[in-house]
Amino acid sequence: MVIENNPRKPIFNKKKAYLFGSPVAHSISPKMHNLSFDEIKFNATYKAIDIDKIHIDAVDEYIRREDFLGANITMPLKTDIISHIDRLDISSELSGSVNTIVPENGSLVGYTTDGAGFIDSLGEIDENITDKKILILGAGGAAKSIIVSLALEGAHRITIAKRHNKTIDSVIEFSKKVSEKTPCDVNVIDIGDSTILREAVTENDILINATPVGMTEDSTLIDKSLLRPGLTVCDLIYEPAMTKLLLDAKECGCKYINGKYMLLYQGARSFKLWTGQNMPVSKVKNTIFS
Ligand code: NAP
């Protein structure tokens, strides 16, 4: 009661979580996390704050405060945020990407939950990555996080199919680093070489599209004739829910999944890091993802 009369002291010490990036207005993360906080009666709120690369210093005002519970980082800040925090876990260090900040014993630690979230999402189609040979199209931020998690979590071999352009050397460097620091062998092929790409699709168990191809147009990087039952096809795109690649995969009898559940499970991983508790995934699925 005494506290209630003092306007400067809140009754409860509500913790604050954020999503930083730009644009963030249409993100479903605030809905997902606020519903989860309410559901487990965790005294916190989650808010999306639009911050672009030029104004990234503004993040410091939020993440250094006492009431800071944690944050998600999205495009275009996933790499630039690294200089604003104190240390990185191994997935962030290897991928060069941070999508989650967690305050731990007075310092701010960067994690990436994108890759683990992707692996978790495969449970939705009864798939797992243990000892699997995996072909991933693209080598951007999402691909790198997934590659690192696949390599740390037991994939047998990863092949990155990438355009032969100015970023090829850095991606080859990245593949060597992951091969050295994990038990998994990672190699890079030229996505423009149709013979090599054809062989790669034939030899692998799981195919992942981590490029934006298929998002705005009815196109795919993989010819339908290469798809077969027994190949699992994943597209990180979730809008549209069925890209041309996934429509082809369905017709060819492949297991397939889009990026919707990766979004859910990366959020669930972040939630666990901040609260120590499991996200009420079924409730979130039924309320927001159905
Ligand atoms: P990014 O960093 O911009 O990387 C995009 C990658 O795609 C690059 O390697 C780029 O190749 C490649 N690429 C683009 N156009 C291509 C084309 N026509 N042919 C061949 N390769 C092409 O993007 P990102 O953040 O990794 O995101 C990639 C995709 O994943 C997007 O569709 C995004 O929406 C989706 N995503 C989904 C989730 C989820 O939760 N479901 C999370 C993150 C991202 P170069 O290296 O040659 O430039």
Side-chain angles (χ1 to χ4, degrees), residues 64-131:
R64 298 282 169 188
R65 286 205 321 226
E66 230 177 77
D67 63 359
F68 178 62
L69 175 68
N72 281 136
I73 307 297
T74 190
M75 295 226 310
L77 309 179
K78 284 186 177 185
T79 303
D80 294 30
I81 196 70
I82 290 173
S83 58
H84 292 254
I85 56 183
D86 304 315
R87 58 194 170 85
L88 301 177
D89 92 317
I90 183 164
S91 308
S92 279
E93 193 191 318
L94 285 175
S95 63
S97 173
V98 167
N99 85 331
T100 304
I101 303 177
V102 185
E104 286 177 16
N105 305 320
S107 45
L108 296 174
V109 186
Y111 292 82
T112 173
T113 65
D114 284 332
F118 170 78
I119 294 173
D120 292 345
S121 77
L122 295 180
E124 296 284 332
I125 53 166
D126 289 328
E127 184 55 274
N128 72 80
I129 58 125
T130 309
D131 293 332

Side-chain angles (χ1 to χ4, degrees), residues 2-278:
V2 176
I3 291 170
E4 242 180 321
N5 289 335
N6 181 347
R8 283 174 303 167
K9 270 199 165 178
I11 305 168
F12 302 109
N13 193 12
K14 213 179 235 315
K15 290 283 193 179
K16 307 268 173 44
Y18 302 97
L19 169 66
F20 299 116
S22 186
V24 291
H26 297 104
S27 169
I28 63 161
S29 292
K31 268 193 201 157
M32 178 161 74
H33 289 290
N34 284 320
L35 173 70
S36 301
F37 290 144
D38 286 351
E39 199 59 22
I40 68 160
K41 305 204 177 349
F42 194 90
N43 193 25
T45 55
Y46 184 107
K47 196 173 168 190
I49 311 271
D50 197 297
I51 292 180
D52 59 20
K53 266 178 186 260
I54 298 168
H55 301 101
I56 191 168
D57 289 352
V59 164
D60 297 339
E61 284 170 32
Y62 299 93
I63 64 180
R64 298 282 169 188
R65 286 205 321 226
E66 230 177 77
D67 63 359
F68 178 62
L69 175 68
N72 281 136
I73 307 297
T74 190
M75 295 226 310
L77 309 179
K78 284 186 177 185
T79 303
D80 294 30
I81 196 70
I82 290 173
S83 58
H84 292 254
I85 56 183
D86 304 315
R87 58 194 170 85
L88 301 177
D89 92 317
I90 183 164
S91 308
S92 279
E93 193 191 318
L94 285 175
S95 63
S97 173
V98 167
N99 85 331
T100 304
I101 303 177
V102 185
E104 286 177 16
N105 305 320
S107 45
L108 296 174
V109 186
Y111 292 82
T112 173
T113 65
D114 284 332
F118 170 78
I119 294 173
D120 292 345
S121 77
L122 295 180
E124 296 284 332
I125 53 166
D126 289 328
E127 184 55 274
N128 72 80
I129 58 125
T130 309
D131 293 332
K132 297 280 165 65
K133 287 177 275 180
I134 300 172
L135 172 63
I136 185 158
L137 312 176
K144 283 188 179 139
S145 296
I146 290 173
I147 289 162
V148 169
S149 293
L150 293 171
L152 289 169
E153 297 295 325
H156 175 65
R157 190 191 67 200
I158 301 166
T159 302
I160 306 171
K162 148 133 190 60
R163 292 188 288 201
H164 206 101
N165 56 15
K166 62 181 183 342
T167 52
I168 188 77
D169 290 340
S170 70
V171 171
I172 290 171
E173 199 61 31
F174 163 77
S175 71
K176 284 185 186 155
K177 196 167 72 170
V178 180
S179 295
E180 272 167 30
K181 303 235 164 160
T182 72
C184 183
D185 188 29
V186 184
N187 60 82
V188 184
I189 61 169
D190 180 0
I191 201 168
D193 186 325
S194 56
T195 309
I196 291 179
L197 186 62
R198 176 175 288 269
E199 274 170 22
V201 178
T202 311
E203 283 172 5
N204 281 276
D205 308 304
I206 299 177
L207 166 69
I208 305 167
N209 177 38
T211 78
V213 176
M215 193 187 278
T216 52
E217 72 295 332
D218 186 25
S219 59
T220 173
L221 294 167
I222 301 298
D223 196 86
K224 189 176 170 187
S225 64
L226 301 180
L227 304 179
R228 61 180 195 281
L231 177 71
T232 292
V233 180
C234 313
D235 203 324
L236 303 195
I237 295 169
Y238 51 89
E239 239 179 76
M242 290 297 282
T243 55
K244 169 141 180 49
L245 175 66
L246 293 187
L247 287 168
D248 290 347
K250 185 179 180 184
E251 274 188 33
C252 294
C254 308
K255 273 188 190 175
Y256 62 91
I257 187 166
N258 69 19
K260 186 171 81 167
Y261 288 117
M262 172 178 165
L263 194 65
L264 167 64
Y265 287 106
Q266 60 78 30
R269 290 270 181 161
S270 300
F271 189 86
K272 177 98 187 206
L273 286 168
W274 302 326
T275 64
Q277 298 189 52
N278 290 328

